[in-house]
Amino acid sequence: MGKGGALGWGLWFALAPLHAAGPALPVPVIWDSPACAHERIAAVEIDLGERPSEITRDDKVPTVDYGRAMRRLAEAAAAQGGNAVVLRQHQGVYFTLNGKRSRAPVYVKLRGAAIRLPDEASQCTLRPVDVADLEALSRNGKPQNVSSREAYGEN
């Protein structure tokens, strides 16, 4: 990773379209829209964690728990009246100071679509998102040394 200023500060992030299986949540978080009939209710989005920037000097920025992030996304979908949420986009931001990268992301944004499956949807095949797979996608993404403005999508 490149150096940003004299301290070698940087942020890197992974963006991934998602696919995997998961924990007991208020509503299931799934990779793909099901092939069976369903109704799209609303777009849902959560963000979790701190947003360190180029002026951050503390190398102990708190990290984010993916299980908590997925739970918040599922709760947001349930609050909209959905009984499942299709994960559409994932962003994990990692913090680097003096060449030392955080082990887990310091910021996570999840976007999805709250959907309503019919009561007779037991024959629907759902591919639930697994927290461990989601973390692996984030950790194994190609690092990109970016400014905080780019990392958080600010214009």
Side-chain angles (χ1 to χ4, degrees):
M1 286 192 231
K3 296 205 180 255
L7 292 177
W9 182 93
L11 286 174
W12 69 271
F13 68 99
L15 284 176
L18 301 173
H19 298 352
L25 299 168
V27 300
V29 178
I30 58 177
W31 290 115
D32 306 304
S33 292
C36 61
H38 63 278
E39 176 186 358
R40 183 166 187 232
I41 305 295
V44 290
E45 176 178 304
I46 64 98
D47 60 341
L48 187 63
E50 293 195 19
R51 293 174 149 207
S53 71
E54 290 79 1
I55 63 171
T56 304
R57 301 285 186 248
D58 184 3
D59 63 349
K60 293 181 174 85
V61 178
T63 58
V64 174
D65 175 67
Y66 270 93
R68 185 170 162 221
M70 281 186 45
R71 176 164 295 286
R72 286 191 49 203
L73 185 68
E75 289 168 351
Q80 293 289 329
N83 59 7
V85 59
V86 180
L87 191 55
R88 295 289 189 209
Q89 188 179 30
H90 164 259
Q91 178 187 26
V93 177
Y94 293 78
F95 181 68
T96 304
L97 181 64
N98 296 328
K100 183 179 178 187
R101 186 190 81 166
S102 60
R103 290 185 180 179
V106 296
Y107 175 80
V108 167
K109 181 182 277 189
L110 301 177
R111 291 183 184 149
I115 62 172
R116 184 169 312 150
L117 299 167
D119 292 336
E120 66 277 355
S122 59
Q123 54 278 64
C124 278
T125 302
L126 304 179
R127 291 190 326 132
V129 175
D130 180 68
V131 173
D133 290 342
L134 186 57
E135 287 181 282
L137 274 175
S138 182
R139 271 193 315 275
N140 297 330
K142 183 179 179 200
Q144 299 176 30
N145 192 13
V146 298
S147 71
S148 59
R149 174 166 277 185
E150 293 170 303
Y152 306 119
E154 298 169 356
N155 294 327

